Amino acid sequence: MARYTRVPKMGSGNRKPKIFVLDTNIILHDYKAIRKFKDNDIVIPVAVIEELDKFKKGTDQLAYNARGFMRDLDRISEGRLFGKDGITIAKGLGKIKIEPNHPFPDEMKDLFKDDIQDHRILSTAIWMRDNNPGRFVALVTKDINLRMKSKAVGMEVQDYMTDRLEDEKVENSIKEVITLDNFDPEAFQTLGFGPENAIPWKAVSQSRPKPNQLYKIRKDGETLCARYDSDLDKVVLVKSKYVYGIKPLNDEQKFAIDACLNPDIKLVSMTGGAGTGKTLIALASALEQARDFDQIILTRPTVVLGNQDIGFLPGDQKTKMSPFVQPLMDNLNVIKSKFKSTSKEAQKLDAMLKEEKLLISPLAYIRGRSLGRVFFICDEAQNLTPNEIKTIITRAGEGTKMVFTGDIFQIDQPYLDQWSNGLTHLSEKMNGQKLFEHVFLRIGERSELSDLASKLL
């Protein structure tokens, strides 16, 4: 259930509904946000409408959300005026109104000298509070700076909490491997060296594990990697496998390659710090299975300044794309370096790039496509919202496999954090589904220097 700070349950006596004044970033983050405040009232300052007007053009998710909200608002109003009290959003929900901009009270006029939209939104929220005695009024924004300004002048302010996970759930996403020490010798031998490389799940757990639960099983200094296969209803050995010249360098990379190669697992998320091999493993695994897919797509979100689209960059399309795809090309070059330039593997890579069977592109150029028989890799997925992740996955057609990689502790989007980004939500919400597996890569393998910097700096 969605969580909102101090929003009371519906039907709690004869209380007056609360009033929530929404900032622009709430709508850009979730254009259906107005339907998630139960029976409380929503106020949209005119300054927000003005800002949304700047976002509505384009093909990215922000433009989609801006347009989606305005269409929804138009359907709600159906030609009616919002008036003083507003219009009911839907049955069981509160009312919504567009509020003209209001100045700061006289005692605050000298506090904020810059005439910017954030200040107009804040002053309108203060006006709503002062003109609705006896009612709780709060400004809702994901902008930390605006929250600090609001607190400084005594205005109640809250974050949008609907997609924020508890710390415990975030921690669980990096503790998914269960380690078993001093394992039963006979079961250890059967798993590692038996004809099926599988053991009953009761050998590792008192209750049936969730699908694709991962294990490290240890005995006398040896470690076996294993996974619970819900179709076989057994714990199976995860073997070390080479993929297109790349070999796993640690146990977590074994799990990641196994997940990427497993045709029954259609959705994979890999998280971890810089240099842990997330993107490299995903790409090498895709190339290893190239014959099983019509196309391999390697992409990443384009995080640019403010609300500017990639189009504001100088040059033609290839030049504009270069800064965003270069890190992806670097991973491809690592794989190419494993082979001689005259080898069939290197020539196959060049041919796939030329024929666009291997497509490396920013995410902005892929939105809207239907993805059938595609091995789809989205890098830096921590910079996507939960709604963006959902939009991408719901485009998966028959025969498509999707891999999302990223570091939830290194986010470039101003209104996302480790609790609210799409990659964290993907790992938590899909946990326990047989089509999904999550792997947290712990060890940096880029270089000794890179690993040392990640730990100490």
Side-chain angles (χ1 to χ4, degrees):
M1 180 180 291
R3 299 184 296 115
Y4 300 91
T5 307
R6 293 182 292 280
V7 176
K9 295 180 179 179
M10 298 175 65
S12 54
N14 296 319
R15 68 161 182 88
K16 294 182 179 179
K18 294 185 176 185
I19 299 174
F20 291 98
V21 182
L22 302 193
D23 190 6
T24 314
N25 51 63
I26 303 301
I27 295 164
L28 295 176
H29 185 78
D30 179 4
Y31 76 93
K32 296 181 179 180
I34 61 173
R35 298 178 179 274
K36 298 176 181 178
F37 285 83
K38 300 181 181 177
D39 59 344
N40 298 290
D41 294 339
I42 304 296
V43 171
I44 307 294
V46 165
V48 169
I49 303 298
E50 292 173 342
E51 282 197 298
L52 290 175
D53 194 53
K54 299 174 184 178
F55 282 92
K56 68 182 181 183
K57 296 180 181 178
T59 58
D60 64 3
Q61 188 67 34
L62 296 182
Y64 174 85
N65 286 350
R67 293 192 298 267
F69 172 75
M70 295 310 299
R71 284 194 293 265
D72 193 25
L73 198 58
D74 187 52
R75 283 193 293 268
I76 292 171
S77 62
E78 294 181 344
R80 294 175 289 171
L81 298 177
F82 286 98
K84 180 180 178 181
D85 298 324
I87 297 172
T88 300
I89 298 171
K91 185 178 180 180
L93 299 181
K95 295 181 178 180
I96 187 170
K97 64 179 295 191
I98 307 296
E99 185 65 32
N101 296 329
H102 295 284
F104 283 108
D106 291 339
E107 64 273 17
M108 294 184 186
K109 285 184 176 179
D110 294 331
L111 295 179
F112 303 103
K113 297 187 181 298
D114 294 334
D115 184 19
I116 59 176
Q117 298 290 46
D118 279 359
H119 294 167
R120 295 176 183 175
I121 294 169
L122 175 55
S123 63
T124 301
I126 293 173
W127 187 93
M128 288 298 302
R129 179 197 64 189
D130 294 345
N131 285 270
N132 287 275
R135 294 185 67 179
F136 175 91
V137 180
L139 172 62
V140 184
T141 178
K142 298 191 75 65
D143 186 333
I144 296 177
N145 288 344
L146 184 53
R147 291 207 296 268
M148 293 304 104
K149 291 177 181 179
S150 300
K151 291 177 181 180
V153 297
M155 178 68 210
E156 180 71 29
V157 61
Q158 300 175 9
D159 192 0
Y160 183 65
M161 307 291 283
T162 184
D163 52 14
R164 186 179 175 90
L165 298 176
E166 291 95 352
D167 287 335
E168 181 182 355
K169 291 184 177 180
V170 175
E171 286 295 318
N172 286 340
S173 71
I174 63 175
K175 295 179 179 178
E176 80 287 350
V177 180
I178 296 176
T179 300
L180 302 174
D181 291 311
N182 301 317
F183 199 66
D184 176 70
E186 185 177 347
F188 189 90
Q189 185 72 16
T190 302
L191 177 62
F193 308 101
E196 296 182 348
N197 292 121
I199 56 177
W201 61 261
K202 291 183 179 179
V204 302
S205 176
Q206 293 182 349
S207 58
R208 180 176 276 103
K210 65 184 179 183
N212 302 315
Q213 173 63 57
L214 303 177
Y215 295 93
K216 288 185 183 181
I217 299 174
R218 295 172 177 168
K219 179 64 180 175
D220 297 332
E222 290 188 66
T223 300
L224 297 178
C225 294
R227 174 181 60 85
Y228 172 64
D229 187 317
S230 58
D231 288 332
L232 296 177
D233 201 26
K234 291 183 178 182
V235 174
V236 299
L237 181 69
V238 173
K239 300 178 181 179
S240 180
K241 302 172 184 176
Y242 278 73
V243 283
Y244 223 81
I246 302 299
K247 68 175 181 178
L249 300 178
N250 55 59
D251 291 338
E252 282 72 27
Q253 289 190 356
K254 282 185 189 179
F255 288 129
I257 291 175
D258 180 71
C260 289
L261 294 181
N262 191 332
D264 296 325
I265 297 176
K266 303 298 185 182
L267 179 62
V268 178
S269 71
M270 283 189 271
T271 58
T276 52
K278 304 180 297 293
T279 310
L280 183 64
I281 285 173
L283 178 56
S285 300
L287 292 170
E288 186 72 21
Q289 306 169 86
R291 68 182 64 181
D292 299 327
F293 299 92
D294 293 338
Q295 191 177 38
I296 297 170
I297 296 178
L298 182 57
T299 185
R300 57 174 9 198
T302 51
V303 181
V304 292
L305 298 175
N307 65 326
Q308 294 171 308
D309 195 359
I310 191 173
F312 87 96
L313 296 172
D316 57 18
Q317 177 174 315
K318 186 175 181 180
T319 304
K320 295 174 189 288
M321 290 165 56
S322 180
F324 301 102
V325 302
Q326 189 56 51
L328 307 179
M329 290 298 299
D330 290 343
N331 282 279
L332 183 61
N333 290 332
V334 170
I335 295 175
K336 290 180 70 174
S337 70
K338 301 294 182 180
F339 308 100
K340 293 182 179 180
S341 59
T342 56
S343 68
K344 64 177 182 180
E345 289 87 359
Q347 292 176 357
K348 179 181 177 181
L349 282 177
D350 292 335
M352 291 177 68
L353 283 169
K354 185 177 180 180
E355 298 167 5
E356 292 195 344
K357 182 167 183 180
L358 172 58
L359 179 64
I360 301 178
S361 174
L363 188 58
Y365 287 85
I366 296 174
R367 293 183 191 278
R369 288 188 52 179
S370 294
L371 304 172
R373 284 185 57 81
V374 169
F375 195 111
F376 182 87
I377 303 168
C378 183
D379 193 28
E380 302 291 348
Q382 77 278 3
N383 289 318
L384 297 173
T385 68
N387 189 56
E388 287 176 308
I389 290 270
K390 178 180 178 180
T391 300
I392 294 169
I393 295 175
T394 53
R395 294 193 176 278
E398 197 66 36
T400 286
K401 180 159 189 155
M402 292 189 160
V403 179
F404 291 85
T405 69
D407 181 0
I408 64 171
F409 300 106
Q410 192 171 5
I411 296 174
D412 300 315
Q413 290 284 21
Y415 304 126
L416 295 178
D417 55 32
Q418 67 195 67
W419 301 278
S420 63
N421 71 87
L423 190 56
T424 295
H425 270 254
L426 174 63
S427 301
E428 197 276 327
K429 298 296 184 182
M430 297 296 288
N431 184 33
Q433 299 298 316
K434 62 183 294 185
L435 297 179
F436 173 76
E437 184 172 332
H438 169 71
V439 181
F440 174 62
L441 299 169
R442 300 173 180 276
I443 304 172
E445 300 287 359
R446 182 171 292 166
S447 69
E448 184 179 359
L449 175 60
S450 174
D451 193 29
L452 184 65
S454 295
K455 292 177 180 178
L456 299 182
L457 297 182

